[in-house]
Amino acid sequence: MLLALLMGIGAGVLSVNVVSGAPHSCPYSGGGPPFAVESFEADRMRRTYLQAQLLAAQNRLFPDDAEFAMPALKVGANRTASASATIPAQLLHAISWIESKINQVHINVPYGDVGAALISPDCGYGIMQVTSTIDNDGGLPSRYEALAISHFAYNIAAGAGILAEKWNEDYFPVVGDSDPSYVESWYFALWAYNGWAWINHPGNPMYDPARPPYDCDDDESGYWDYPYQERVLGCVLSPPVVNGQRLWEPHPVVLPDVPGLTAPGGALDPDLFRQRLDQVRERMSLDLPGSAVPARLTIGGPESSREALLGMPELDGIPTEVELSSSELARGGTQLTIANEGSGLLAWRVVSTPSWLDVGIQAGVALGNGYDFSNMPQQSIIPISASAGGVPEGSHRGQIVLEFNYPDGTSETESVAISLDKRGAAYYEAGRPQS
């Protein structure tokens, strides 16, 4: 366990300021290729995402979903679990800016459109760069994986859950009496979110000990000249500006006295950190700065309701028959279309396919009405083709099973029967939805 903690597998092992193209494999999270998933990019001002983070900080996005509910935070000197304790929303805003510039899809996808989900070089996904809870094993995504990658609200809830777990971990040091209303109290949880590793130690000689606070809105501030937790807290102190507006309200932050705490024998003495893995909490815990101010759960402006953010998606059915002939296989296959006649995002995933069939997208979202800044509605289109190596002569029968997940926690499946005669044509037949 201690080795895993030292390596620091958090939400993102390596945070990236600008995310490049998708990797070919994920050696640190399953070893297989990254999942092929599509998602939706909201408005340029990130209002939709910031509102979702405000709800996630209070466990109001998916409180009854076992996979996406935020665990109760351990608070007070006795670290007692409290269901009413919340995360300062400013921290989720700042983490997501550091991780992805608060983007859910690839940089080439316009705002308001559906396209390839954002994947970092270390296989972190989406706004919160969810990494450690995703297993890229070469198979199809689980419900958790599909939703966390394809739907911005689930991605944000997953990130909030990971941060809460880092806060609750009894191995890590604490600040003061573990009062989560102070952003300063989250110093070590933020460190662990990116990786409980030497690269994030404030006394690492790669960082200037006399450095000023990180300025989140200054491209010249030296992104890599700060440990991860200081970048996040710098964004809380100096939020980024988009189109001439701050994305959220600044909040004062009192940073640790790095020169004093990293001196020999200090709580953050680098030599002690490198040499010893035991009694980390006892050795490294800090006092809460006396001038710290509790954070307010606000980003300014009216608060959106959960229903307004998530909408009421509704499956518009799938084709009862899609032809796939031998000649179409040679041209690369055909496609299956998913439409949302409701509002918000209809999240879907492929549960199973015949072994001789490939689907080009394993999960995604179909955009309905409700986001007035988007190019709505937009269908999901699943490319379908023969598996690598081709399909042998003869008849082949099987089915594609699709699962649809809704914001109220319900789901339904639809089986699409497929039959291919390599010497003739194929037909697909949609089955009835099953709860």
Side-chain angles (χ1 to χ4, degrees):
M1 173 182 178
L2 293 182
L3 178 60
L5 291 172
L6 179 63
M7 294 303 294
I9 306 301
V13 176
L14 292 177
S15 174
V16 289
N17 199 22
V18 178
V19 180
S20 61
H24 296 293
S25 64
C26 303
Y28 303 109
S29 56
F35 291 116
V37 176
E38 285 194 334
S39 189
F40 165 70
E41 192 70 281
D43 55 314
R44 183 183 301 274
M45 293 306 295
R46 281 80 164 179
R47 177 65 57 174
T48 302
Y49 300 153
L50 298 177
Q51 293 285 4
Q53 289 168 355
L54 181 60
L55 295 176
Q58 304 167 73
N59 194 27
R60 292 170 54 198
L61 273 180
F62 306 104
D64 300 319
D65 190 317
E67 293 187 299
F68 290 96
M70 188 178 79
L73 299 177
K74 296 180 180 179
V75 303
N78 295 325
R79 302 271 292 173
T80 303
S82 170
S84 63
T86 61
I87 297 173
Q90 295 92 335
L91 292 179
L92 299 183
H93 303 336
I95 288 172
S96 61
W97 182 263
I98 291 296
E99 292 286 353
S100 68
K101 293 295 181 72
I102 320 183
N103 289 310
Q104 177 66 15
V105 302
H106 191 276
I107 191 172
N108 293 333
V109 179
Y111 292 101
D113 279 359
V114 172
L118 182 64
I119 309 175
S120 71
D122 65 327
C123 296
Y125 293 91
I127 295 168
M128 305 301 290
Q129 286 295 277
V130 177
T131 306
S132 62
T133 53
I134 305 293
D135 185 10
N136 303 274
D137 60 1
L140 293 168
S142 66
R143 173 184 181 272
Y144 172 88
E145 291 163 338
L147 288 172
I149 299 170
S150 69
H151 197 302
F152 70 87
Y154 289 94
N155 184 274
I156 288 168
I162 292 171
L163 181 61
E165 289 170 356
K166 301 304 180 185
W167 169 278
N168 285 341
E169 173 57 59
D170 290 331
Y171 175 81
F172 299 130
V174 298
V175 177
D177 287 336
S178 296
D179 185 342
S181 66
Y182 293 90
V183 296
E184 291 84 356
S185 296
W186 292 83
Y187 186 87
F188 294 108
L190 293 172
W191 179 342
Y193 185 91
N194 179 252
W196 187 251
W198 171 238
I199 193 172
N200 287 324
H201 194 290
N204 190 313
M206 68 185 293
Y207 308 126
D208 181 355
R211 57 191 177 271
Y214 177 70
D215 187 344
C216 194
D217 190 49
D218 183 3
D219 290 337
E220 305 301 321
S221 186
Y223 181 88
W224 296 111
D225 295 333
Y226 293 81
Y228 180 84
Q229 64 275 20
E230 290 187 22
R231 289 180 230 149
V232 173
L233 292 172
C235 286
V236 172
L237 180 64
S238 301
V241 175
V242 174
N243 291 347
Q245 298 180 35
R246 293 277 187 192
L247 289 186
W248 61 87
E249 296 178 1
H251 178 78
V253 178
V254 183
L255 293 168
D257 172 22
V258 172
L261 292 170
T262 57
L268 302 180
D269 182 345
D271 288 337
L272 288 175
F273 180 83
R274 289 194 299 260
Q275 295 170 10
R276 296 185 59 184
L277 291 174
D278 63 326
Q279 298 181 331
V280 167
R281 170 162 294 182
E282 291 78 3
R283 291 188 292 105
M284 295 180 62
S285 291
L286 304 176
D287 293 330
L288 179 69
S291 55
V293 178
R296 294 181 298 127
L297 287 169
T298 179
I299 60 172
E303 178 182 326
S304 294
S305 68
R306 178 183 184 277
E307 291 72 21
L309 281 171
L310 302 180
M312 298 181 64
E314 182 178 351
L315 176 63
D316 194 20
I318 59 176
T320 58
E321 182 177 349
V322 176
E323 295 292 336
L324 179 62
S325 66
S326 294
S327 62
E328 286 173 321
L329 285 176
R331 294 198 303 269
T334 185
Q335 62 190 33
L336 188 63
T337 301
I338 297 173
N340 175 11
E341 64 178 353
S343 58
L345 301 178
L346 173 61
W348 61 268
R349 72 180 178 107
V350 177
V351 176
S352 64
T353 66
S355 60
W356 42 268
L357 200 67
D358 278 340
V359 290
I361 301 174
Q362 299 167 317
V365 290
L367 176 62
N369 296 308
Y371 299 126
D372 55 8
F373 53 81
S374 67
N375 302 319
M376 58 186 183
Q378 292 184 46
Q379 301 170 332
S380 275
I381 298 176
I382 309 175
I384 300 173
S385 61
S387 298
V391 179
E393 294 290 335
S395 298
H396 308 274
R397 287 174 171 78
Q399 65 179 2
I400 298 174
V401 180
L402 298 169
E403 179 182 85
F404 301 89
N405 287 280
Y406 298 94
D408 63 1
T410 63
S411 65
E412 63 179 358
T413 60
E414 185 149 348
S415 299
V416 182
I418 176 171
S419 177
L420 170 65
D421 185 341
K422 185 62 181 293
R423 294 176 296 277
Y427 65 88
Y428 291 64
E429 183 178 345
R432 293 182 177 274
Q434 303 168 4
S435 298

